[in-house]
């Protein structure tokens, strides 16, 4: 079992359990039975997919899981947050996600398979800091037009709730969307979409 963080956006963190799967093919040698459920740290670093239970994820809530040593965010967007996404388009560098920062099936307004769930690698495309979740509307430090998003504290890059970068900040590209697929309505696999 590994831990994933729950980030409510209000600086409150909980931990919930998740499990990681895969790893048999990664090693390329005979692998003990248990390894198929709990891959070694080496196998995980090499890219074993991570299975996540999303059944407890509430609208507006974000959780963090680790895949290939990187933070991956799972954000359950509210209906209002989904409806607000197109309002940001004129202010974004790549609103249609034309730069290859996502699988083809996420080349849409929400950059996601289902509009309500964003899955993104939480590493800034400028110099690699991890942006902060800022779902609050029009906060004093981000301005009256802020509809929620992510703010990188290192050099001030801003991303919307589809992880698309705003114009006029140091980060050149949208955040990366990792390959992923739904195993069921409540289980997601990160790192494998085949
Ligand atoms: S690393 Fe994010 S703005 Fe520089």
């Amino acid at each position: 079992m590994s831990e994933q963080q729950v980030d409510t956006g209000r600086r409150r963190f909980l931990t919930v359990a998740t499990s990681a799967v895969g790893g048999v093919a990664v090693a390329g040698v005979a692998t003990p039975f248990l390894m198929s459920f709990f891959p070694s740290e080496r196998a995980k670093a090499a890219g074993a997919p991570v299975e996540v239970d999303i059944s407890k994820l509430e609208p507006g809530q974000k959780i963090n899981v680790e895949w290939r040593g990187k933070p991956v965010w799972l954000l359950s967007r509210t209906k209002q947050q989904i409806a607000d996404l197109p309002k940001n388009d004129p202010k974004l560098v790549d609103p249609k996600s034309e730069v290859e920062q996502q699988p083809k099936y996420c080349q849409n307004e929400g950059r996601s398979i289902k509009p309500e769930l964003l899955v993104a690698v939480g590493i800034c495309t400028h110099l690699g800091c991890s942006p902060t979740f800022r779902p609050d509307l029009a906060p004093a430090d981000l301005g009256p037009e802020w509809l929620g998003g992510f703010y990188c504290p290192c050099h001030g890059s801003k991303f919307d709730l589809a992880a698309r970068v705003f114009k006029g900040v140091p980060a050149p590209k949208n955040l990366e969307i990792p390959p992923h697929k739904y195993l069921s309505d409540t289980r997601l696999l990160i790192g494998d979409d085949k």
Side-chain angles (χ1 to χ4, degrees), residues 69-109:
K70 304 176 195 174
V72 173
W73 301 332
L74 277 66
L75 168 64
S76 176
R77 288 180 289 222
T78 64
K79 286 193 168 59
Q80 187 61 53
Q81 288 170 339
I82 295 166
D84 283 343
L85 287 176
K87 295 179 189 165
N88 287 323
D89 286 9
K91 299 177 226 152
L92 302 173
V93 171
D94 181 16
K96 301 291 176 217
S97 300
E98 285 164 290
V99 175
E100 286 187 14
Q101 283 291 88
Q102 61 285 310
K104 282 274 177 244
Y105 48 80
C106 289
Q107 197 177 22
N108 51 49
E109 187 70 26

Side-chain angles (χ1 to χ4, degrees), residues 124 126-129 152 154-157 170-171:
C124 183
H126 180 221
L127 293 175
C129 292
C152 186
C154 289
H155 314 97
S157 290

